[in-house]
Amino acid sequence: MLLAVLAAGCVETRWDGEPSDHFDGRHFHNEEPFQEGLADLVRFFLSREPGTWQRELEPIDTPPPPRRVDSGTLRMTVIGHATVLVQADGVNLLTDPIWSDRASPLSWAGPHRYRPPGLAFEDLPPIDVVVISHNHYDHLDLPTLRRLDAEHDPTFIVPAGDQVILRDNGITPVVPRDWGQGWEMPNGCRLTAVQVRHWSGRRILPSDRNLSLWTGYVMDTDGGPLYFAGDTGYESHFTETRRAHGPIRAALLPIGAYRPRWLTEYQHLSPGDAVQAHLDLQSPFSVGIHHGTFKLANDDMNEAADTLDERTAERGLAPDVFPPGREGTTYPVPPLPEATPCSSQGIS
């Protein structure tokens, strides 16, 4: 696998936008750079103390979801890892879809799946929109994207720079977005790319790092906005997103692949960080994602979910306010009392 990801040399600039506070004309960056590199990855593998995982791949008997939901309704069905089917106001959207058995460029090596998808691909309703948070293999899975393109023909919304990967693989239409840029969904509501703290790259070579952006998304609905973090470390961007977009109806927050903290703290929330993010967003309801599907770090298979329950209790939150997402579980979310329909807001 290492030889495969090292095989390609330098790559061209992927984004021709103007330089900004997070883009220098070629590379994207956070305010604080991500310093860990190949030597740190080697250190991780040499000192690794992996948690206990056991493959549980019996298919989950999840009833097919409705083809569409009415205005004001929000249903979130957890597929697994960071993949969630979001149905709201007549639109069906998938986050970071992966149905593959491995999160890898190779079909025979790399992290494999420990839990089955929470919904059979064949049981998906018509998919209108697919959002990608960044280009790591557990979030941008080309086999799944090709199948969605062939069978559903959705619009793919990707971070700035990742349009090159999709177009080179014949996947269209694709819309790249920088932080703060919006896009009008088929129902007239706005989808906005928002700041998170992560990094990008699909090869180990330094020349491939941070040529494309990493992003979260705010999806406006008639009952208030939905927040999808994708993959992120903890920082003030949660509070800033809430200030910019108002009260959050529901949030999808990553909780897993968080140990050891010397390697993961910059890029991944711990369950405790996720609870703080939930509070920063002032969301009445959140779901924990990015755990228990692919073994990516040292935490046990069920550790993130169990620890999230402990951290919510420590903060005085009811257990049903922030559950760890379980494959095949659907979470209906009521509208915010003060929410107004979003279809006439306009897109800038």
Side-chain angles (χ1 to χ4, degrees), residues 119-155:
L119 183 68
F121 190 94
E122 296 78 10
D123 289 337
L124 282 172
I127 301 300
D128 307 299
V129 183
V130 172
V131 297
I132 302 296
S133 65
H134 64 294
N135 66 17
H136 291 158
Y137 288 98
D138 55 322
H139 295 261
L140 195 162
D141 179 56
L142 284 172
T144 298
L145 298 188
R146 291 191 192 101
R147 188 174 180 187
L148 285 166
D149 185 39
E151 299 185 25
H152 291 263
D153 192 28
T155 299

Side-chain angles (χ1 to χ4, degrees), residues 4 52 56 123 136 158 192 201 218 243 248 256 272:
T52 301
E56 302 170 357
D123 289 337
H136 291 158
V158 303
T192 307
V218 171
R243 288 173 179 165
I248 300 296

Side-chain angles (χ1 to χ4, degrees), residues 33-118:
F34 179 55
Q35 302 287 8
E36 281 70 24
L38 180 57
D40 299 287
L41 189 61
V42 171
R43 173 190 167 194
F44 167 65
F45 280 109
L46 290 178
S47 62
R48 190 173 187 184
E49 298 178 358
T52 301
W53 288 62
Q54 181 174 345
R55 300 193 84 184
E56 302 170 357
L57 296 177
E58 185 71 24
I60 298 172
D61 186 17
T62 306
R67 186 175 177 86
R68 303 279 178 189
V69 300
D70 296 332
S71 176
T73 298
L74 171 60
R75 299 174 87 253
M76 303 186 300
T77 301
V78 175
I79 309 301
H81 200 54
T83 307
V84 179
L85 169 64
V86 177
Q87 297 184 276
D89 310 317
V91 166
N92 296 327
L93 177 147
L94 279 174
T95 65
D96 288 354
I98 179 168
W99 265 261
S100 295
D101 185 58
R102 292 188 184 271
S104 168
L106 306 172
S107 62
W108 49 270
H112 56 65
R113 180 180 291 276
Y114 277 79
R115 288 194 177 116

